[in-house]
Amino acid sequence: HVQLVESGGGSVQAGGTLTLNCTASGFTDKMGWFRQAPGKEREGVACHYWRVLITDYADAVKGRFTISHDRAKKTVSLRMNSLKPEDSGLYYCAASDTGFDGDCISSDTYVYWGQGTQVTVS
């Protein structure tokens, strides 16, 4: 079982920047960030395959959010620039160790989930 530990959430003013980090306790094939706002369904934000060097982003965050990784630390970071109030929500880190599946932005393709970290933009 892979444990995921998230950090970096908090409150920021609109237009500001926040960086989320997620560290995995073991091997994963892909890691991603998802978010859920009150009254909304969980949606994919950004994701990354470790071995095939593929990333994907939700249309709503393209050009503003950047996912990056540190292989040695088994850590994926999400730098969120130009934050908007609409970006507020509970952000979850997710991971899977089931191999390459060609889809890292869909939440139902992930096995492991972090506890979530709150992001509030005002």
Side-chain angles (χ1 to χ4, degrees):
H1 184 77
V2 175
Q3 302 288 334
L4 302 176
V5 179
E6 302 139 320
S7 64
S11 297
V12 66
Q13 294 182 343
T17 298
L18 205 60
T19 299
L20 307 181
N21 298 296
C22 177
T23 298
S25 65
F27 170 81
T28 62
D29 296 302
K30 64 181 182 182
M31 296 180 69
W33 285 98
F34 299 81
R35 67 186 182 187
Q36 187 168 20
K40 300 289 186 179
E41 295 294 318
R42 182 173 58 189
E43 63 176 344
V45 177
C47 56
H48 166 72
Y49 283 100
W50 288 101
R51 292 187 291 113
V52 298
L53 304 178
I54 294 174
T55 60
D56 200 7
Y57 296 91
D59 289 341
V61 307
K62 287 181 179 177
R64 297 190 296 120
F65 291 11
T66 302
I67 192 168
S68 60
H69 62 272
D70 185 325
R71 289 184 175 86
K73 298 179 180 179
K74 295 186 178 67
T75 297
V76 167
S77 298
L78 182 69
R79 182 179 176 86
M80 304 181 291
N81 293 327
S82 302
L83 282 162
K84 307 173 181 178
E86 306 95 279
D87 295 317
S88 297
L90 191 61
Y91 281 67
Y92 295 92
C93 177
S96 179
D97 57 6
T98 55
F100 180 75
D101 56 10
D103 181 7
C104 70
I105 204 67
S106 298
S107 62
D108 59 2
T109 67
Y110 287 82
V111 176
Y112 307 110
W113 292 85
Q115 81 284 357
T117 184
Q118 182 66 41
V119 172
T120 302
V121 185
S122 61

